[in-house]
């Protein structure tokens, strides 16, 4: 998919692009819950769990597949 972009990517650029694409974006959930006073503590807990699951499950698989 990165090869279809308007600029060429070397292997380092592609690796950084793939890792950044898989990084959890749950921090948005924490910000939105804080803005609307929903439940920021629960959102923070879910963010931490999401990040830990990413580090334990998704990142190793991604590095194994593309590394």
């Amino acid at each position: 998919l990165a090869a279809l972009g308007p600029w060429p990517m070397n292997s380092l650029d592609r690796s950084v692009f793939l890792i950044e694409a898989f990084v959890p974006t749950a921090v948005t959930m924490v910000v939105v819950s804080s803005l609307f006073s929903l439940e920021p503590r629960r959102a923070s807990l879910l963010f931490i769990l999401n990040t830990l699951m990413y580090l334990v499950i998704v990142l190793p698989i991604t590095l194994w597949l593309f590394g």
Side-chain angles (χ1 to χ4, degrees), residues 4-63:
L4 299 176
W7 54 88
M9 294 183 124
N10 61 24
S11 65
L12 177 63
D13 293 338
R14 184 175 52 101
S15 297
V16 170
F17 176 79
L18 286 172
I19 290 174
E20 288 294 324
F22 283 105
V23 170
T25 58
V27 72
T28 305
M29 175 178 59
V30 176
V31 172
V32 169
S33 69
S34 294
L35 285 174
F36 295 105
S37 300
L38 296 174
E39 287 188 47
R41 290 192 78 159
R42 182 179 288 182
S44 298
L45 177 64
L46 290 173
F47 170 70
I48 290 169
L49 290 174
N50 182 30
T51 302
L52 289 174
M53 287 174 44
Y54 166 78
L55 291 173
V56 171
I57 299 169
V58 178
L59 183 61
I61 292 172
T62 304
L63 291 175

